[in-house]
Amino acid sequence: MSEQQFDIVIVGGGPVGMALALALRDYDLTVLLLEARALPEKVDDPRPLALSHGSQLILQRLGIWKNLVQSTPITTIHISNHGHFGHVILTPEDAGVPALGYVVNYHDLYHSMGRMVREGSNLDYQTNALVTAVRTDLPLAQVTYQQHGMTRQVRAKLLVLADGGKLAEQIDGIEYQTHDYQQTAIVANVRAELPQPGTAYERFTLNGPLALLPSGDEYALVWTMPIAEAAKKLKLDDSHFLQQLHEQFGDRMGNFTHVGQRSSFPLILKHASGIAGHRAVLIGNAAQTLHPVAGQGFNLGLRDAWELASEISRVPPDTPGEPGSARMLAAYSRRRQSDKRTSRIFTDSLVKLFTVDLSLVQSCSSLGLTALDCLPPAKRLVAHQMIFGTKGWFIG
Ligand SMILES: Cc1cc2nc3c(=O)[nH]c(=O)nc-3n(C[C@H](O)[C@H](O)[C@H](O)COP(=O)(O)OP(=O)(O)OC[C@H]3O[C@@H](n4cnc5c(N)ncnc54)[C@H](O)[C@@H]3O)c2cc1C
């Protein structure tokens, strides 16, 4: 079998893999992007993505932002704790940005990126290409994939896994630490009697966090709860579902009047202890899969893609062994360490702090929310983590 060679092979053309491909399109590099699914237009994924201000700046830089069908600005974030007093309100003034973030739909973003990747003249984009094996024990990385009944093999100076985390265990030295939250997220679009345009709600309940994100004139619901509870909720008729949602959310937007199709997602925390191996690196959900509370996962994955492209661009293209040398990958890993660690601890602590059924802890959490609301520097810190990640980013 003849093996074509590329500078970079990206496995997984989800939003993070495509962002990296787009960030690399102007460099003098040969890039192959392999995606198991069919063309993005055929993919329907209903999950909403709350994009931070930092992510919006990256998507603008990549030329994706202007092609998005719809994005709804978040002008207020309201955080509360079910059954307890205390809440926090974050506004753009807390962080000095025009909007706290934007809500887009996964498939809208995926479709726009797909169109742009197809137009990228120096990108080789292959869909229906299921990668079955990767090897990193050879001088160059080797990738085997199946496409239209054929088996193909390619080599890469740098293999980037952006596949959500299925193939990394084939790479020497990469191990995951996993925690199963034993929770499911139910996702659906809902309408309310008294919508509050621009306000995103994050409400902590003993069962798990519940988010309502403004999406056009509707709200995108992400409601997390124990697996058995979610199975019951998914079977409810619409009116009982909306009634139970109202019981958990309260009266802030009056009654809920409509719910669209409901989907569910299992929730785990998974992160690789090291993100690089010989001529290989993990980005996005392949490097870390987080609980969706506070909408950090894609934002963090997008920063992975952006920073990797920037690390690659620092080295002149004809440098022997680049891209993908041990030195380059070590520099990238160092650069990403603190942002990843903080985002992981931030989301995991939020889930654990607000779902422990101990009245003292619960009261402290509520006191914490009140205190946070009264302390501008602390609020600014939380706002910055949600908006930029650890580094207080500015993509200037
Ligand atoms: C309910 C829910 C709500 C969320 N809300 C938010 C939010 O508000 N904000 C936020 O920032 N994040 C959010 N997230 C997280 C976000 O969805 C993920 O972080 C993001 O989708 C990760 O993108 P990715 O490209 O790394 O992985 P994925 O989206 O999983 O894409 C991986 C791609 O790799 C392909 N692939 C897999 N295996 C192979 C293979 N063997 N060969 C070839 N291709 C392969 C897949 O087909 C897929 O296209 C949410 C997640 C959930 C579950």
Side-chain angles (χ1 to χ4, degrees), residues 12 14-16 35-37 47-50 106 129 131 162-163 285 295 297-299:
V16 171
E35 167 54 40
R37 296 189 270 189
R47 84 188 90 159
L49 294 176
Y106 182 104
V131 174
D163 66 328
N285 269 27
F298 174 65
N299 291 301

Side-chain angles (χ1 to χ4, degrees), residues 27 132 135 176 243 309 365 382:
Y27 300 132
T132 50
R135 282 186 65 177
Y176 283 113
Q243 196 183 322
S365 314
V382 171

Side-chain angles (χ1 to χ4, degrees), residues 23-321:
L24 293 173
R25 79 198 129 163
D26 296 329
Y27 300 132
D28 188 16
L29 293 165
T30 51
V31 178
L32 171 65
L33 175 62
L34 296 171
E35 167 54 40
R37 296 189 270 189
L39 283 174
E41 284 74 2
K42 298 193 191 283
V43 172
D44 186 22
D45 186 321
R47 84 188 90 159
L49 294 176
L51 300 182
S52 66
H53 178 68
S55 293
Q56 188 232 0
L57 295 176
I58 294 177
L59 294 177
Q60 256 172 4
R61 275 287 191 89
L62 295 176
I64 299 162
W65 192 252
K66 61 178 187 300
N67 292 321
L68 278 175
V69 185
Q70 178 180 298
S71 64
T72 308
I74 300 175
T75 50
T76 307
I77 299 178
H78 184 288
I79 308 173
S80 63
N81 197 358
H82 178 252
H84 294 264
F85 68 94
H87 64 264
V88 175
I89 291 180
L90 299 176
T91 62
E93 292 74 49
D94 291 322
V97 290
L100 290 165
Y102 298 84
V103 181
V104 302
N105 194 288
Y106 182 104
H107 57 229
D108 286 345
L109 177 68
Y110 189 57
H111 297 177
S112 306
M113 288 174 127
R115 273 194 300 278
M116 291 184 65
V117 166
R118 280 210 298 281
E119 285 158 12
S121 51
N122 64 343
L123 293 176
D124 189 343
Y125 175 39
Q126 298 292 327
T127 53
N128 294 302
L130 175 72
V131 174
T132 50
V134 292
R135 282 186 65 177
T136 54
D137 56 343
L138 304 166
L140 296 184
Q142 187 188 62
V143 177
T144 307
Y145 65 98
Q146 306 281 333
Q147 193 182 34
H148 310 307
M150 304 268 289
T151 301
R152 297 172 204 271
Q153 228 160 41
V154 289
R155 277 178 295 158
K157 287 186 191 165
L158 175 61
L159 164 65
V160 182
L161 287 187
D163 66 328
K166 299 185 189 84
L167 292 162
E169 275 153 2
Q170 296 185 19
I171 296 178
D172 275 349
I174 299 230
E175 278 175 22
Y176 283 113
Q177 290 178 23
T178 307
H179 170 72
D180 189 340
Y181 288 109
Q182 298 287 323
Q183 284 195 328
T184 299
I186 296 181
V187 171
N189 273 11
V190 296
R191 282 188 215 134
E193 264 176 348
L194 304 168
Q196 305 294 313
T199 301
Y201 294 93
E202 186 82 58
R203 183 151 174 83
F204 292 93
T205 79
L206 278 182
N207 270 342
L210 179 169
L212 280 164
L213 306 170
S215 176
D217 51 9
E218 298 192 325
Y219 267 84
L221 168 70
V222 182
W223 192 1
T224 62
M225 63 192 81
I227 298 167
E229 190 60 39
K232 284 191 215 152
K233 292 252 188 316
L234 287 165
K235 286 188 193 137
L236 289 175
D237 62 42
D238 287 359
S239 69
H240 283 98
F241 181 83
L242 292 173
Q243 196 183 322
Q244 293 194 9
L245 174 62
H246 184 240
E247 278 163 21
Q248 290 301 308
F249 182 70
D251 282 327
R252 285 185 183 84
M253 292 200 285
N255 287 319
F256 292 101
T257 55
H258 171 82
V259 56
Q261 195 184 334
R262 291 168 238 169
S263 318
S264 63
F265 296 82
L267 300 180
I268 56 160
L269 166 68
K270 177 170 158 177
H271 67 101
S273 31
I275 54 165
H278 172 66
R279 299 221 159 262
V281 65
L282 318 182
I283 60 170
N285 269 27
Q288 66 277 315
T289 302
L290 307 182
H291 192 289
V293 66
Q296 300 275 302
F298 174 65
N299 291 301
L300 183 60
L302 188 60
R303 296 198 290 273
D304 286 350
W306 181 260
E307 290 260 13
L308 181 58
S310 137
E311 197 63 53
I312 291 167
S313 74
R314 283 167 184 233
V315 188
D318 47 1
T319 310

